[in-house]
Amino acid sequence: MADMKHEIARRRTFAIISHPDAGKTTLTEKLLLYGGAIQLAGSVKGKATARHAVSDWMELEKQRGISVTSSVLQFEYDGYCINILDTPGHQDFSEDTYRTLMAADSVVMVIDAAKGIEPQTRKLFKVVARRNIPIFTFINKMDRDSRDPFDLIDQLEKEFGIGTYPMNWPIGSGNDFKGVFDRENRRILAFEQFKKGQSKLEAIECDITDTEKLDSLIGPYLRADLVDQIELLDGASYDFDLEQVRTGKLSPVFFGSALTNFGVEPFLESFLKLTTPPLPRNTVEGSVDPEDDNFSAFVFKIQANMNKAHRDRLTFMRICSGKFERNKEYFHVQSGKSMKLPQPQQLMAQEREIVDEAYAGDIIGVFDPGVFSIGDTVCSAKNKVTFEGIPTFAPEHFAIYEQVDTLKRKQFVKGMTQIAQEGAIQIFHEPESGMERVIVGVVGVLQFEVLEYRLKNEYNVDVRKTSMPYELIRWIEGDNIDVKKLNLTSDTKLVQDFKDRYLLIFTSEWNINWALQKNEGLILSEFSNN
Ligand code: G4P
């Protein structure tokens, strides 16, 4: 068991969040490079797992021309086993993006130094903040003109209500970018771009009071600024407190440039030391320790129909305790059945391979004939637990769907219901009405396209879509509320979800405030805890 404990303790599972174009992909690539470089040097995962042929679902996905998969990449670095959860962004932003955050133990937030916090970062932050997990900030693109670094950290603190602790401090930006001052080691990491897109990092021991040396390194003008700024930081910023970092109250901030690979490795090293290994997770029965001998995992994502002929689904689960072994039977709590998990896989530096064992902190994908739902628990039959489900996140786009051919009603209802059960869309209906007109809510508009594609290809149903003007949804909470008697604006709509819970959909924040003001005792929630 010492072996299992060691394996779990060296795991770091995190997600990178950002607004499109801030540099998430570039940073991920650079991180993988460090993993890859080390693998090339010979310390590859030392296990004798035979590589099995991988399925062709990626190919299928390519043919479909839409990417809806968020992947999990595992690599080794300096004795750590790192799992990076990729959160879909851009057009394929969806509920999966949010759910993936439930599987992470910490988050790296990439911010464009010229832009500061942007809308998608805001949305993702809200979800992360609920979990009190460590949040690290990488302020990227310092090789371009940036906003004032004090403004940037001020914005983080004010908008997100967290403390920040700059681990390093930039010296200039854009053409004047000279590197960063490493606050812990009191040295300068000098930046030198020797080729477009590539740079050199040189660590130079330098006392901040050594005027002569600093002048020769960064010039008198930047030196004067740096000395003032470091003095201000040392005097006025938050103290470093690991406990605060580990509970998400204090975000360590790193300035760097992913594209030129400046500051990425120092960031990675610091991050790995400061962030947490897998931590206990809550279940209905109490908290489960990752080092518990009994295996447990929860489903956070279902990737449907990779292979049309078989209606296979790939179900991703996050292991929360113990060790997974390929040939063992496990218990699926929601169906009450024991089973072997078919074709368990992991994605390692872009290659998918069958895994024989995995540990708490890891993500595995298993083929699933349709038994799993989002939030389900799989565990050892010896110690049955049930994880506390995954919240339902508020969709932001709504449309009414009807079938074109009324004779296809059965297929339409089946398709809609199954796709909603997988968590690919959310469905609502008007109170007391059936499934003739289904109100579909999604977080990202690509989900509409995926829905239409799947209804046509898998269920052979053509649909008619009518867009709706609503953008906000809130679950109704609060006792003694008579939903039928609510005082609402004419463009607010009452709907029910598939569990028949009541919700309101709104066209603006203004209407939400109106509803709250006019209806005493009404509580509206942005998330629904299942
Ligand atoms: P994303 O995943 O967050 O959407 O961002 P991504 O990494 O794709 O980066 C977006 C663009 O920003 C890319 O340019 C990338 O090269 C650039 N970029 C990322 N990090 C840095 C950095 O540290 N400095 C600079 N100067 N640029 C950076 P692109 O889309 O390929 O456009 P192009 O610039 O190559 O034309």
Side-chain angles (χ1 to χ4, degrees):
M1 277 306 137
D3 192 33
M4 182 186 93
K5 285 195 171 147
H6 171 71
E7 283 300 331
I8 295 171
R10 72 189 195 90
R11 270 157 168 78
R12 298 290 182 272
T13 303
F14 66 97
I16 305 185
I17 61 170
S18 71
H19 188 82
D21 270 353
K24 186 181 67 162
T25 313
T26 314
L27 182 67
T28 309
E29 275 166 17
K30 294 290 147 58
L31 295 174
L32 285 175
L33 195 105
Y34 289 112
I38 281 168
Q39 287 190 1
L40 286 179
S43 61
V44 193
K45 260 195 129 179
K47 63 178 193 184
T49 323
R51 291 202 168 194
H52 301 265
V54 294
S55 81
D56 57 354
W57 63 268
M58 280 179 158
E59 199 42 51
L60 274 170
E61 203 170 53
K62 256 189 247 153
Q63 283 168 16
R64 273 171 29 181
I66 39 179
S67 149
V68 281
T69 315
S70 67
S71 41
V72 186
L73 299 163
Q74 187 180 67
F75 66 96
E76 298 269 326
Y77 178 83
D78 198 18
Y80 292 97
C81 176
I82 300 168
N83 293 306
I84 303 188
L85 295 154
D86 186 20
T87 47
H90 301 262
Q91 324 82 322
D92 50 3
F93 190 75
S94 69
E95 279 196 274
D96 278 343
T97 314
Y98 292 140
R99 291 188 194 120
T100 299
L101 298 176
M102 301 296 125
D105 294 323
S106 57
V107 157
V108 173
M109 180 161 69
V110 181
I111 295 211
D112 184 327
K115 297 189 174 146
I117 299 172
E118 295 177 84
Q120 195 161 299
T121 325
R122 251 179 221 116
K123 287 186 198 169
L124 292 162
F125 181 86
K126 255 194 209 170
V127 172
V128 173
R130 282 163 51 90
R131 295 200 41 224
N132 303 321
I133 57 176
I135 301 167
F136 292 76
T137 307
F138 189 87
I139 299 189
N140 191 30
K141 305 199 186 180
M142 289 308 298
D143 59 313
R144 289 208 190 146
D145 287 341
S146 82
R147 280 173 55 177
D148 180 275
F150 280 111
D151 279 356
L152 289 166
I153 57 168
D154 205 44
Q155 190 192 21
L156 287 169
E157 293 183 358
K158 291 216 172 93
E159 272 206 39
F160 290 165
I162 48 169
T164 59
Y165 186 88
M167 302 294 289
N168 62 28
W169 195 252
I171 307 167
S173 75
N175 286 337
D176 280 340
F177 184 53
K178 296 283 187 265
V180 293
F181 178 69
D182 167 357
R183 288 180 75 199
E184 186 188 356
N185 301 301
R186 311 303 281 184
R187 60 183 182 169
I188 282 177
L189 304 178
F191 170 82
E192 192 193 328
Q193 181 152 252
F194 57 87
K195 220 169 126 186
K196 196 174 178 342
Q198 285 179 37
S199 73
K200 200 165 71 183
L201 181 152
E202 198 183 349
I204 304 170
E205 299 306 322
C206 184
D207 191 326
I208 197 92
T209 57
D210 188 342
T211 309
E212 212 175 301
K213 192 166 177 185
L214 271 179
D215 277 355
S216 71
L217 287 170
I218 59 176
Y221 177 68
L222 287 174
R223 186 257 307 152
D225 268 0
L226 179 68
V227 172
D228 285 352
Q229 292 174 353
I230 295 298
E231 202 181 332
L232 195 64
L233 269 186
D234 289 348
S237 76
Y238 288 86
D239 289 333
F240 186 81
D241 179 336
L242 189 59
E243 184 51 33
Q244 298 269 326
V245 170
R246 293 193 159 181
T247 48
K249 295 186 183 73
L250 184 71
S251 178
V253 178
F254 301 78
F255 291 84
S257 159
L259 182 68
T260 60
N261 204 359
F262 179 83
V264 177
E265 199 171 18
F267 157 73
L268 177 62
E269 286 176 358
S270 235
F271 165 75
L272 291 170
K273 275 190 222 116
L274 300 178
T275 197
T276 59
L279 290 177
R281 293 265 181 163
N282 287 341
T283 69
V284 174
E285 295 79 10
S287 122
V288 167
D289 193 85
E291 292 176 0
D292 191 311
D293 292 344
N294 296 298
F295 168 84
S296 69
F298 69 87
V299 172
F300 67 94
K301 176 181 155 69
I302 294 175
Q303 180 67 51
N305 285 72
M306 254 65 73
N307 185 338
K308 204 175 139 191
H310 299 107
R311 290 231 165 149
D312 280 332
R313 316 196 301 189
L314 193 61
T315 293
F316 290 88
M317 43 185 102
R318 148 81 199 220
I319 305 178
C320 297
S321 69
K323 175 181 178 180
F324 164 80
E325 288 170 82
R326 188 178 163 204
N327 291 319
K328 269 203 180 157
E329 282 213 330
Y330 293 107
F331 183 71
H332 174 225
V333 173
Q334 281 70 15
S335 67
K337 289 194 183 118
S338 287
M339 61 178 83
K340 275 189 190 162
L341 300 180
Q343 299 183 45
Q345 344 189 342
Q346 270 179 337
L347 200 65
M348 282 175 212
Q350 310 292 13
E351 273 180 66
R352 197 161 280 269
E353 60 176 48
I354 300 283
V355 288
D356 290 326
E357 47 186 56
Y359 297 89
D362 288 342
I363 311 299
I364 51 171
V366 303
F367 273 95
D368 156 30
V371 289
F372 298 115
S373 297
I374 300 281
D376 280 5
T377 302
V378 178
C379 61
S380 147
K382 273 188 268 168
N383 181 25
K384 292 176 190 161
V385 290
T386 311
F387 286 102
E388 285 175 338
I390 288 189
T392 306
F393 300 99
E396 292 170 28
H397 306 276
F398 298 87
I400 295 176
Y401 275 90
E402 292 159 292
Q403 76 260 39
V404 173
D405 177 355
T406 41
L407 294 175
K408 296 262 176 74
R409 192 175 147 64
K410 244 173 112 178
Q411 291 96 311
F412 174 74
V413 172
K414 187 172 168 202
M416 279 288 183
T417 323
Q418 284 188 344
I419 295 169
Q421 270 166 4
E422 285 166 14
I425 53 164
Q426 289 183 46
I427 53 176
F428 307 95
H429 58 89
E430 283 154 343
E432 271 105 59
S433 82
M435 290 274 290
E436 294 79 33
R437 284 153 53 88
V438 178
I439 300 172
V440 175
V442 296
V443 163
V445 282
L446 185 76
Q447 288 171 273
F448 284 138
E449 277 172 51
V450 173
L451 170 68
E452 288 159 30
Y453 178 93
R454 292 190 54 195
L455 284 173
K456 174 120 193 85
N457 283 273
E458 294 163 32
Y459 300 91
N460 201 16
V461 187
D462 286 310
V463 288
R464 193 166 32 236
K465 173 188 170 204
T466 315
S467 294
M468 297 174 98
Y470 306 102
E471 288 178 7
L472 299 152
I473 190 163
R474 295 290 182 268
W475 277 265
I476 297 179
E477 288 174 10
D479 301 327
N480 309 322
I481 296 286
D482 183 348
V483 291
K484 306 274 165 50
K485 293 207 177 122
L486 285 172
N487 184 356
L488 303 166
T489 53
S490 60
D491 54 353
T492 298
K493 194 173 178 62
L494 180 72
V495 295
Q496 283 179 286
D497 67 8
F498 70 102
K499 287 189 179 165
D500 285 336
R501 290 175 296 203
Y502 285 100
L503 304 95
L504 292 172
I505 44 181
F506 302 92
T507 51
S508 69
E509 287 281 351
W510 191 89
N511 288 322
I512 298 184
N513 291 333
W514 206 89
L516 288 171
Q517 276 164 19
K518 302 281 173 184
N519 299 280
E520 217 188 305
L522 177 68
I523 299 172
L524 298 174
S525 165
E526 233 179 294
F527 306 91
S528 124
N529 283 312
N530 289 322

